[in-house]
Amino acid sequence: MLIDGKKIAKKVRRSLEPRIDALKSKGITPGLAVILIGDDPASQSYVRMKEKAFKKLNMESKTYRLAAETPQSEVLELIDQLNADKNIHGILVQIPVPDHLDEMTLLERIDPQKDADGIHPVSLGKMVLGIETPLPCTPHGILKLLEYSDFETEGKHVVVIGRSNIVGKPISNLLAQKKDYGNATVTICHSRTKNIKKITKQADILIVAIGQPEMITGEYVKDDVVVIDVGSNRIDAPETEKGYRFVGDVDFEEVSQKAQAITPVPGGVGPMTISMLLFNTVYLAEKYGK
């Protein structure tokens, strides 16, 4: 079974339409501000996709494109202005940022009530405690993929490869919580894990977010595993018109022969991340919009 992120993302977006209409009837149009610093090609492409998604749902999306050499003081000043703007319900700083900027300082400056990405320390703290809050977009998208595909997590052994603050750590916490699409036994693997294949072969559900092209091959998984591939890696492909293509962290051809279900790259987790950004912006407009 192919877990079609594009199809599930459309279902999530359709579920938002009546909520957006209800907000507009009160004179509130959910609005997102994106701060894009520098000219990273992947970030540029991702921001364009976000803008397109917001436009389709008649939501506001404004992108502030700043030069790579913009000083931190100017970025912080912009965040302060957006925090005070009543027409902006969500703020997102596109990561990665140039090396001279302190990513955590920028994220902490965002008002938690406008944390569209769900990765402010306040949001993550509430998430860990099980308090209602915007969830990190990619982990939330993974939960929706499992939910819409009817893959239960309760009692299952989930192995997460990767321990980043935006994917690995939060998805591990969410899956272990005592709630729907939680109650799993979760193991986290990373670059210092020993005997990693022995651990990944125990997984009923394997979530891979390591940024290494096609690292996970068939020998890492057992039969009938459910695989969520978060990776999106650009590799050279001279045979294609563009000269490159995108692949996941999982060797799709090998692992799909053994898996019960698997996400493709592209078209798996990526569309869900953008849909959950829409979801969070609507949620914040409902909760704090005036």
Side-chain angles (χ1 to χ4, degrees), residues 51-177:
E51 290 171 336
K52 186 177 179 182
F54 272 75
K55 188 174 182 180
K56 276 189 176 181
L57 283 179
N58 295 313
M59 294 168 62
E60 293 291 337
S61 177
K62 187 169 184 180
T63 302
Y64 295 82
R65 290 176 166 83
L66 306 180
E69 61 272 14
T70 303
Q72 181 150 305
S73 59
E74 287 188 20
V75 184
L76 292 172
E77 185 178 343
L78 174 57
I79 293 172
D80 290 341
Q81 292 171 5
L82 296 171
N83 282 337
D85 189 338
K86 292 182 180 179
N87 294 317
I88 297 297
H89 304 101
I91 302 171
L92 182 150
V93 175
Q94 183 63 40
I95 296 170
V97 297
D99 291 340
H100 71 282
L101 299 173
D102 185 77
E103 180 182 298
M104 187 53 65
T105 298
L106 299 180
L107 295 178
E108 285 185 309
R109 193 64 162 250
I110 296 171
D111 183 342
Q113 294 186 357
K114 295 193 175 189
D115 177 25
D117 225 9
I119 57 174
H120 188 284
V122 170
S123 301
L124 289 174
K126 287 184 174 181
M127 180 203 76
V128 169
L129 294 172
I131 299 170
E132 183 181 289
T133 189
L135 298 177
C137 294
T138 299
H140 196 186
I142 292 169
L143 294 184
K144 289 294 181 185
L145 284 174
L146 294 170
E147 178 185 346
Y148 277 80
S149 302
D150 292 324
F151 290 117
E152 288 291 337
T153 58
E154 183 170 341
K156 298 295 176 64
H157 186 186
V158 180
V159 175
V160 178
I161 308 182
R163 53 180 169 178
S164 72
N165 291 331
I166 59 174
V167 181
K169 289 178 186 176
I171 191 60
S172 299
N173 179 271
L174 288 166
L175 285 165
Q177 289 187 9

Side-chain angles (χ1 to χ4, degrees), residues 1-275:
M1 173 183 170
L2 199 65
I3 302 175
D4 190 338
K6 289 182 179 178
K7 187 178 292 185
I8 295 171
K10 285 180 181 177
K11 292 180 180 178
V12 171
R13 294 177 194 189
R14 279 198 295 270
S15 74
L16 295 175
E17 290 174 357
R19 294 169 61 183
I20 294 167
D21 290 342
L23 283 164
K24 289 194 171 187
S25 71
K26 300 175 184 176
I28 300 171
T29 298
L32 175 74
V34 177
I35 300 174
L36 176 61
I37 311 160
D39 52 6
D40 178 73
S43 292
Q44 296 272 4
S45 174
Y46 192 50
V47 167
R48 284 194 295 272
M49 287 190 286
K50 290 173 183 175
E51 290 171 336
K52 186 177 179 182
F54 272 75
K55 188 174 182 180
K56 276 189 176 181
L57 283 179
N58 295 313
M59 294 168 62
E60 293 291 337
S61 177
K62 187 169 184 180
T63 302
Y64 295 82
R65 290 176 166 83
L66 306 180
E69 61 272 14
T70 303
Q72 181 150 305
S73 59
E74 287 188 20
V75 184
L76 292 172
E77 185 178 343
L78 174 57
I79 293 172
D80 290 341
Q81 292 171 5
L82 296 171
N83 282 337
D85 189 338
K86 292 182 180 179
N87 294 317
I88 297 297
H89 304 101
I91 302 171
L92 182 150
V93 175
Q94 183 63 40
I95 296 170
V97 297
D99 291 340
H100 71 282
L101 299 173
D102 185 77
E103 180 182 298
M104 187 53 65
T105 298
L106 299 180
L107 295 178
E108 285 185 309
R109 193 64 162 250
I110 296 171
D111 183 342
Q113 294 186 357
K114 295 193 175 189
D115 177 25
D117 225 9
I119 57 174
H120 188 284
V122 170
S123 301
L124 289 174
K126 287 184 174 181
M127 180 203 76
V128 169
L129 294 172
I131 299 170
E132 183 181 289
T133 189
L135 298 177
C137 294
T138 299
H140 196 186
I142 292 169
L143 294 184
K144 289 294 181 185
L145 284 174
L146 294 170
E147 178 185 346
Y148 277 80
S149 302
D150 292 324
F151 290 117
E152 288 291 337
T153 58
E154 183 170 341
K156 298 295 176 64
H157 186 186
V158 180
V159 175
V160 178
I161 308 182
R163 53 180 169 178
S164 72
N165 291 331
I166 59 174
V167 181
K169 289 178 186 176
I171 191 60
S172 299
N173 179 271
L174 288 166
L175 285 165
Q177 289 187 9
K178 191 175 181 180
K179 62 180 184 180
D180 291 342
Y181 291 93
N183 292 312
T185 299
V186 183
T187 301
I188 305 176
C189 296
H190 45 75
S191 59
R192 300 294 186 271
T193 301
K194 296 180 180 179
N195 301 319
I196 190 168
K197 290 179 186 176
K198 183 178 180 181
I199 298 169
T200 57
K201 280 184 176 179
Q202 300 173 33
D204 301 309
I205 300 172
L206 181 65
I207 299 171
V208 189
I210 47 174
Q212 298 293 326
E214 299 180 321
M215 175 186 158
I216 302 304
T217 59
E219 61 186 5
Y220 281 80
V221 301
K222 68 178 183 181
D223 290 337
D224 294 327
V225 65
V226 174
V227 179
I228 306 294
D229 187 354
V230 183
S232 182
N233 309 285
R234 178 170 158 169
I235 63 171
D236 293 334
E239 73 280 4
T240 66
E241 186 177 338
K242 292 181 178 179
Y244 63 86
R245 62 189 177 93
F246 286 94
V247 298
D249 294 343
V250 174
D251 184 326
F252 184 88
E253 294 303 321
E254 277 196 24
V255 174
S256 63
Q257 300 300 313
K258 299 178 75 173
Q260 175 186 353
I262 187 171
T263 57
V265 176
V269 175
M272 295 302 299
T273 298
I274 293 175
S275 286

